[in-house]
Amino acid sequence: DVHLGYLSKWSASVQAGYNFLKKPDIWLAPKAGFSAGDYNSLGTGLFFKLNKKKVFILQNAQYNFGLTAKNSDVFFSFTEIAYGPHYFEAGIISEFTYKYKPVSEDEFEPEKEWLLGPSVRGTYRNFYLEGFWGVEPLSDEHKLKEKSKFIITLGFKFTQCE
């Protein structure tokens, strides 16, 4: 997978993994990669996907060891349940991120973010375009606008994960 602006606004990340199960309806792939830009890191993670007819469950967990600054490690967990034919899918996504936010040059405080919301994905061959609107479900109503995020991803898979 290749992502632009996901871990940080001005960074790109590359992750590669290998499916050890060799089954078309179950994927279990350890992965590793890096990011470069205003956030530099080395990452490791695990990708899991279970398909049953037109429904799938996907879990993607990743830990990035930050190289940019002290206490710049990032952990995220991405869970999706979706329905649809392979070329168009709609579902719900839960995304949890744990990272350190700089308070001053030498001080950092932990920052947790949990987003929940709908997603749609269109696929053509190995290219996909996905939209996700996530809202932090436990935030106050007056903070809802600042605690929501809209993400559009244009991606390319080197192998099909059907």
Side-chain angles (χ1 to χ4, degrees):
D1 286 332
V2 177
H3 296 278
L4 299 174
Y6 191 78
L7 292 169
S8 178
K9 188 175 183 179
W10 300 108
S11 68
S13 61
V14 176
Q15 291 282 318
Y18 182 77
N19 180 19
F20 285 95
L21 296 181
K22 307 278 191 212
K23 296 181 180 185
D25 56 347
I26 302 175
W27 275 56
L28 182 63
K31 59 184 191 165
F34 66 92
S35 69
D38 65 351
Y39 177 73
N40 300 311
S41 69
L42 297 175
T44 184
L46 185 65
F47 176 86
F48 172 78
K49 186 173 184 181
L50 175 65
N51 294 306
K52 282 294 179 192
K53 298 186 181 183
K54 294 182 180 182
V55 176
F56 73 84
I57 299 171
L58 179 146
Q59 171 63 45
N60 187 10
Q62 185 174 321
Y63 192 90
N64 286 57
F65 300 91
L67 305 174
T68 307
K70 186 175 89 175
N71 290 331
S72 62
D73 295 357
V74 174
F75 169 78
F76 76 86
S77 174
F78 182 89
T79 305
E80 181 177 11
I81 299 172
Y83 174 81
H86 179 66
Y87 56 88
F88 180 79
E89 299 159 335
I92 189 163
I93 291 178
S94 172
E95 179 186 87
F96 176 78
T97 306
Y98 185 91
K99 60 185 174 182
Y100 289 95
K101 184 172 87 175
V103 178
S104 68
E105 191 173 310
D106 295 329
E107 290 184 61
F108 296 84
E109 66 181 30
E111 179 180 52
K112 299 175 191 173
E113 178 181 70
W114 178 43
L115 300 174
L116 183 65
S119 69
V120 292
R121 179 186 302 110
T123 304
Y124 178 73
R125 297 191 181 188
N126 288 22
F127 291 93
Y128 64 93
L129 180 64
E130 179 176 41
F132 164 55
W133 179 57
V135 176
E136 192 169 312
L138 302 178
S139 65
D140 297 334
E141 192 172 318
H142 65 280
K143 292 183 179 181
L144 195 60
K145 193 171 187 178
E146 72 182 48
K147 290 292 187 177
S148 67
K149 187 187 294 186
F150 186 71
I151 299 170
I152 296 178
T153 304
L154 175 61
F156 180 83
K157 297 278 187 187
F158 290 98
T159 60
Q160 289 288 349
C161 180
E162 306 211 10

